[in-house]
Amino acid sequence: MAVHHISDINNPHLAPYQQVRDRDALGPDGRPGLFIGESAVVIGAMLRAGVDVLSILTSDRHAERAVAMVDEARGFRSHMSDPQVLLVADDILDATVGFNIHRGFLAVGRRPTQRTVREVVPPHGQDALLLVVEEINNIDNIGQLFRNAAAFGCNAVILSPGCHDPLYRKSLRVSCGCALHVPYARSDAWNADLQYLRDDEGFALLGATGGGEKTLREVAEQLTRLQAQPRRIAVIMGAEFTGLCVDTLAACTARVKIPMAVGVDSLNVGVAAGVFLSRLTEQ
């Protein structure tokens, strides 16, 4: 692999990392076709996921670890070139990106090709569990939802058009890189895609809502008793305060609630998704 010791902040190798926050604020347009990974955990996930990682930027102090990360992931990347490792002094690192990189590592990777809903749904005849996410634009919540999806073995995550970018630097960090390993698609026709999942693909659409007619326990027990195979379940989560929209609730096979103590009417969407997925996968 190529290792560059850089002492000039104007070195062309550093161009993708200049003023990271300002470019992040522009979303995917800030680095067309590229994204930034932050922290050794995320960069390790990028390397193992087969992402085309162009370079890794870190302090001179972390040179051995950066090289070791690339070496350890080489078995996952037999068909790909090694990323360049860019080593700089701490003051140049902070001045380049515009803030103190207290996690020590950044990397630039090419965005994977965006897949469609139909491309990520498992074929007919197979058990499947989807996490379907409506209008979640909080960066931490998006990361938490992907981490839940990975933890409980979801086959894919389906995002509505207004959801935040799961490859945004902070969301990716919160997910511990799981957004690179769990297949996902962004819907461009939300109501039609929900109907497709329900009517064409045979998914039970379970809408998480505080006004649900059934409790999560009741639905989980009912699904456990069903003898018919396969079991195809899509858990639909909305934002904590706005909830699922009227059309989405109308499309659901069941509207499901988590019973809570008096005086508490909702949970953070990441917590609620974890409760749903844990209960539904116990069997």
Side-chain angles (χ1 to χ4, degrees):
M1 77 189 74
V3 179
H4 302 277
H5 293 265
I6 298 174
S7 58
D8 181 2
I9 194 172
N10 296 312
N11 187 297
H13 286 107
L14 300 181
Y17 300 97
Q18 294 285 350
Q19 300 305 310
V20 165
R21 281 178 175 159
D22 292 343
R23 295 167 79 166
D24 279 350
L26 300 175
D29 294 333
R31 291 176 205 80
L34 304 175
F35 71 99
I36 288 281
E38 179 182 6
S39 81
V41 170
V42 168
I43 295 169
M46 292 169 66
L47 293 167
R48 292 190 300 275
V51 170
D52 186 5
V53 182
L54 305 182
S55 64
I56 298 171
L57 174 64
T58 189
S59 166
D60 293 319
R61 296 179 291 107
H62 300 308
E64 290 187 8
R65 187 177 184 190
V67 170
M69 287 167 56
V70 177
D71 286 339
E72 290 166 3
R74 197 164 280 129
F76 297 89
R77 305 171 56 80
S78 57
H79 62 296
M80 307 184 76
S81 300
D82 287 339
Q84 300 181 86
V85 176
L86 312 179
L87 303 174
V88 297
D90 289 333
D91 59 337
I92 293 179
L93 180 61
D94 293 345
T96 298
V97 303
F99 58 93
N100 180 15
I101 306 295
H102 58 280
R103 289 177 179 81
F105 290 87
L106 291 175
V108 172
R110 296 193 189 280
R111 283 182 172 268
T113 302
Q114 182 67 61
R115 285 180 277 189
T116 68
V117 171
R118 284 160 176 75
E119 287 174 331
V120 300
V121 172
H124 283 288
Q126 295 183 11
D127 287 356
L129 177 63
L130 304 179
L131 180 58
V132 181
V133 182
E134 181 178 83
E135 300 302 283
I136 300 296
N137 49 39
N138 179 282
I139 57 179
D140 294 319
N141 287 341
I142 282 290
Q144 290 169 355
L145 288 165
F146 270 88
R147 194 168 181 183
N148 281 329
F152 296 105
C154 290
N155 299 89
V157 175
I158 309 295
L159 303 172
S160 73
C163 284
H164 203 284
D165 177 16
L167 298 187
Y168 174 67
R169 174 173 52 89
K170 291 184 179 179
S171 299
L172 192 55
R173 190 182 73 220
V174 172
S175 81
C176 293
C178 290
L180 297 167
H181 293 277
V182 178
Y184 74 90
R186 184 179 298 276
S187 169
D188 57 7
W190 187 241
N191 292 336
D193 282 333
L194 293 179
Q195 183 177 344
Y196 163 76
L197 292 174
R198 184 192 64 203
D199 298 342
D200 297 343
E201 290 291 342
F203 279 90
L205 304 187
L206 307 184
T209 172
E213 297 90 357
K214 295 183 178 181
T215 67
L216 177 57
R217 178 186 296 274
E218 291 170 340
V219 170
E221 290 176 348
Q222 180 182 4
L223 290 171
T224 300
R225 289 194 299 268
L226 289 177
Q227 298 301 313
Q229 296 294 331
R231 293 181 63 196
R232 292 167 74 81
I233 302 168
V235 176
I236 310 179
M237 307 297 303
E240 179 180 356
F241 297 110
T242 57
L244 300 175
C245 74
V246 173
D247 288 344
T248 298
L249 287 171
C252 289
T253 309
R255 304 177 188 183
V256 188
K257 63 184 177 183
I258 301 172
M260 285 179 273
V262 175
V264 181
D265 61 0
S266 66
L267 292 170
N268 167 271
V269 66
V271 175
V275 172
F276 261 80
L277 296 174
S278 176
R279 188 70 181 86
L280 293 170
T281 57
E282 284 179 352
Q283 303 303 319

